[in-house]
């Protein structure tokens, strides 16, 4: 009886939030949101990774209110729900510029299709193993852009399909995978009338299921607009601190919105306008950027100086873009292509040759990626050529690429073994850190933690340039008798000549993204 009376207390579990519905909202509005998952305690607290969105829990379990500031920057926000016992993985929440509505069931047949008022709206929906249909009025010659966000941004476990259906039931347009597993259609109406946008899905990870799939986490955002919508910016990259003109390629774009001037001061630029149906993200490089200029084939290669980033297109079948560059013997050069990862159909092949046409190196895919990457060390001083084409000899105005040609630099990357940690007073917790050292980075690395309360300490730890600790170290956290719940960051600093500094990231469960904002919970007394 005495042993039973003094048995250790069990630590209560934290929340597990698996979905938000709706999964976004228009800037300057207040949105009622339902969270899916398991909440041992209520209400939950919410932390957002950047200003502009405030989340508060309502009285009913799972009900939340998202207040989006009028000046909030459109784009992706990450929301971390937590209580005194732990934290759920970050959930994505998208802030947009267009009016938004929530899908209304039943809408699974043409007769029950939900009516949509254009010119532009974002539908927040969820698939329940059926199809969702939306009725859209169009005039002859109008271009309707229907663009779905689900798997790629929201990590919904679905491979969705989008169709445009005539009033009589005929499928007029269809798309399966446009941006990864997410579909998009630009449809020109052949005549006046109401057309149906139909959405259904299969599991993102194929299984033996036959038929449509669905569930609480099958959430999506479907933009339906006859107003301006950008497919991609041109060029695909600009130079840091330098003024550049950027053109927009897409649909329904008037002359006044066809281009803009940017002068970036950070690693990316987000361009948005109340008239645009989407946010345009533009890469920023620390070195010169340029656009390929035809003709640039093997007979007349385009001259470039390294380092450089080139925006190009394989615009017709069989086209191959060739660039010449000078290099010194033994130099470490790196050529990287981004195309499929940006949502384009190009299956790029990268080849390096000498000026006589002798192939010195060639690569197609790298692992599971369709985007090639090639390290090259010139065998002698002189001129060389890098050529880029499509594996299947296809081409179109959408076969775009971004070719990054730089001198390879040794670097490092740090990955934490979890996105959240629970630390008990008097019981230290280890944060295991994996260190990747591409290019043979051979410097000592020290680690520190920012965001810790005063009663939590982190023991000093060093990753040596060689040996076991060069690949893995354990950072030990210890806490005194107090409580805490909040974000922390593990900062890695190289002590050698490079002085490189990086923040450790961690995988977000059921998501391809990483977070640098790890979560630390120091709970109070556990419940018996």
């Amino acid at each position: 009886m005495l042993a039973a009376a003094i048995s250790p207390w069990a630590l209560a579990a934290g929340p597990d939030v698996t979905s938000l519905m709706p999964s976004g909202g228009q800037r300057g509005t207040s949105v009622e949101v339902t969270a899916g998952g398991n909440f041992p305690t209520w209400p939950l607290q919410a932390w957002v990774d950047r200003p502009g969105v405030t989340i508060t829990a309502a009285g009913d379990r799972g009900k939340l209110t998202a207040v989006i500031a009028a000046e909030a920057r459109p784009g992706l926000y990450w929301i971390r729900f937590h209580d005194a016992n732990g934290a759920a993985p970050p959930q994505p929440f998208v802030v947009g510029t267009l009016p938004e509505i929530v899908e209304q069931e039943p809408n699974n047949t043409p007769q029950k299709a939900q009516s949509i008022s254009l010119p532009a709206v974002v539908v927040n929906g969820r698939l329940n193993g059926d199809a969702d249909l939306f009725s859209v009025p169009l005039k002859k010659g109008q271009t309707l852009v229907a663009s779905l966000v689900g798997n790629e941004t929201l990590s919904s476990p679905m491979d969705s399909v989008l169709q445009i259906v005539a009033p009589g039931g005929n499928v007029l347009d269809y798309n399966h995978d446009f941006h990864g597993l997410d579909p998009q259609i630009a449809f020109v109406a052949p005549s006046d009338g109401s057309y149906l946008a139909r959405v259904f899905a299969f599991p993102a990870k194929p299984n033996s299921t036959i038929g449509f799939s669905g569930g609480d986490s099958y959430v999506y955002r479907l933009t339906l607009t006859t107003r301006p919508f950008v497919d991609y910016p041109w060029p695909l990259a600009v130079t840091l601190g330098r003024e550049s003109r950027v053109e927009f390629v897409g649909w329904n774009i008037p002359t006044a919105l066809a281009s803009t001037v940017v002068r970036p001061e950070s690693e990316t630029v987000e361009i948005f306008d109340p008239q645009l149906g989407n946010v345009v993200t533009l890469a920023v490089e620390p070195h010169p950027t340029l656009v390929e200029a035809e003709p640039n084939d093997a007979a007349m290669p385009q001259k470039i100086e390294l380092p450089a980033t080139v925006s190009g297109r394989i615009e017709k079948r069989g086209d191959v873009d060739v660039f010449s560059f000078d290099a010194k013997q033994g130099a470490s050069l790196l050529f990287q292509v981004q195309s499929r990862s940006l949502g384009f159909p190009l299956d790029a092949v990268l080849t390096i040759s000498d000026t006589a046409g002798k192939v010195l190196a060639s690569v197609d895919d790298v692992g599971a990626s369709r985007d090639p990457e090639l390290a090259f060390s010139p065998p002698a001083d002189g001129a060389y050529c890098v050529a880029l084409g499509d594996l299947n000899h296809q081409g179109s105005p959408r076969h775009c690429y971004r070719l990054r040609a730089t001198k390879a630099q040794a670097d490092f990357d740090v990955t934490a073994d979890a996105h959240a940690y629970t630390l008990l007073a008097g019981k230290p917790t280890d944060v295991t850190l994996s260190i990747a050292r591409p290019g043979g980075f051979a410097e000592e690395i020290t680690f520190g933690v920012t965001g810790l309360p005063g009663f939590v300490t982190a023991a000093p730890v060093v990753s040596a340039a060689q040996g076991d600790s060069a690949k893995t170290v354990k950072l030990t956290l210890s806490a005194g008798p107090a409580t805490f719940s909040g974000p922390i960051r593990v900062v890695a600093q190289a002590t050698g000549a490079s002085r490189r500094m990086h923040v450790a990231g961690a995988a977000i469960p059921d998501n391809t993204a990483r977070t640098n904002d790890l979560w630390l919970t120091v709970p109070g007394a556990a419940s018996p």
Side-chain angles (χ1 to χ4, degrees), residues 422-495:
T422 299
L423 174 62
L424 299 178
K427 295 184 177 181
T429 291
D430 286 336
V431 178
T432 301
L433 302 171
S434 299
I435 302 104
R437 295 171 175 264
F441 188 83
E443 292 184 23
E444 181 183 88
I445 302 170
T446 61
F447 300 87
V449 185
T450 62
L452 291 178
F455 66 91
V456 176
T457 59
V461 64
V462 174
S463 171
Q466 303 288 335
D468 291 342
S469 70
K471 299 178 180 178
T472 306
V473 296
K474 290 187 176 181
L475 180 68
T476 301
L477 302 178
S478 303
T483 62
F484 175 77
S485 181
I488 62 172
R489 288 194 166 197
V490 176
V491 180
Q493 174 73 66
T495 61

Side-chain angles (χ1 to χ4, degrees), residues 405-430:
T406 61
K407 295 179 180 179
Q409 293 184 334
D411 205 345
F412 70 94
D413 181 68
V414 182
T415 301
D417 62 337
H419 68 90
Y421 299 87
T422 299
L423 174 62
L424 299 178
K427 295 184 177 181
T429 291
D430 286 336

Side-chain angles (χ1 to χ4, degrees), residues 146-420:
S147 182
L148 187 143
V149 170
N151 181 270
E152 292 298 303
T153 300
L154 304 178
S155 290
S156 300
M158 64 186 193
D159 185 358
S160 50
V161 178
L162 183 60
Q163 296 175 333
I164 302 298
V165 182
N170 293 330
V171 176
L172 302 178
D173 209 339
Y174 163 97
N175 186 254
H176 192 191
D177 302 330
F178 191 90
H179 295 292
L181 297 182
D182 290 344
Q184 180 173 298
I185 291 174
F187 171 73
V188 180
S191 60
D192 293 357
S194 292
Y195 296 83
L196 299 176
R198 179 161 58 193
V199 178
F200 54 90
F202 304 99
K205 295 181 179 180
N207 54 33
S208 59
T209 301
I210 299 175
F212 298 159
S213 187
D216 287 346
S217 57
Y218 277 60
V219 294
Y220 63 84
R221 289 168 56 82
L222 175 62
T223 299
L224 297 167
T225 180
T226 56
R227 292 172 60 183
F229 192 93
V230 177
D231 187 9
Y232 59 89
W234 194 253
L236 299 174
V238 293
T239 303
L240 181 70
R242 182 176 299 174
E243 189 174 279
S244 302
R245 178 163 291 278
V246 179
E247 299 177 358
F248 298 138
V249 180
W251 304 273
N252 306 320
I253 300 177
T255 302
L257 284 178
S259 67
T260 189
V261 174
V262 299
R263 188 182 180 89
E265 301 298 339
S266 59
E267 293 181 355
T268 59
V269 174
E270 291 180 334
I271 305 170
F272 58 91
D273 186 278
Q275 298 182 67
L276 290 179
N278 55 335
V279 177
V280 181
T281 301
L282 187 63
V284 178
E285 295 284 11
H287 50 247
T289 56
L290 62 151
V291 175
E292 61 126 346
E294 296 285 355
N296 60 346
D297 55 15
M300 298 182 64
Q302 181 177 346
K303 183 74 173 181
I304 63 173
E305 293 184 8
L306 275 55
T309 294
V310 183
S311 297
R313 298 183 181 100
I314 304 298
E315 296 201 54
K316 58 184 180 180
R317 292 174 58 88
D319 185 23
V320 176
D321 291 343
V322 184
F323 307 92
S324 65
F325 61 94
D326 294 328
K328 297 291 186 179
Q329 180 180 5
S332 295
L333 306 179
L334 182 63
F335 297 85
Q336 300 165 296
V337 175
Q338 287 181 294
S339 182
R340 282 295 179 95
S341 59
L342 301 178
F344 298 116
L346 176 67
D347 189 355
V349 177
L350 194 62
T351 302
I352 294 179
S353 62
D354 60 22
T355 53
K358 180 182 178 181
V359 174
L360 303 176
S362 183
V363 65
D364 176 15
D365 300 341
V366 177
S369 174
R370 294 286 186 90
D371 289 341
E373 179 177 305
L374 181 60
F376 175 65
S377 182
D381 293 358
Y384 297 87
C385 289
V386 55
L388 196 151
D390 183 76
L391 177 67
N392 303 303
H393 307 289
Q394 300 297 307
S396 77
R398 291 203 76 254
H399 279 64
C400 303
Y401 62 84
R402 188 163 61 212
L403 170 62
R404 197 169 191 265
T406 61
K407 295 179 180 179
Q409 293 184 334
D411 205 345
F412 70 94
D413 181 68
V414 182
T415 301
D417 62 337
H419 68 90

Side-chain angles (χ1 to χ4, degrees), residues 56-79:
T56 55
D60 294 337
R61 187 176 292 265
K63 301 298 182 181
L64 308 159
T65 299
V67 178
I68 306 171
E71 65 275 12
R73 291 192 64 83
L76 181 62
Y77 290 66
W78 289 98
I79 302 173

Side-chain angles (χ1 to χ4, degrees), residues 101-107 109 112-116 123 133-136:
I101 62 173
V102 175
E103 170 221 353
Q104 299 296 321
E105 294 282 0
N107 63 345
T109 66
K112 296 179 180 179
Q114 183 175 347
S115 296
I116 300 297
V123 181
L133 284 82
F134 306 95
S135 177
V136 181

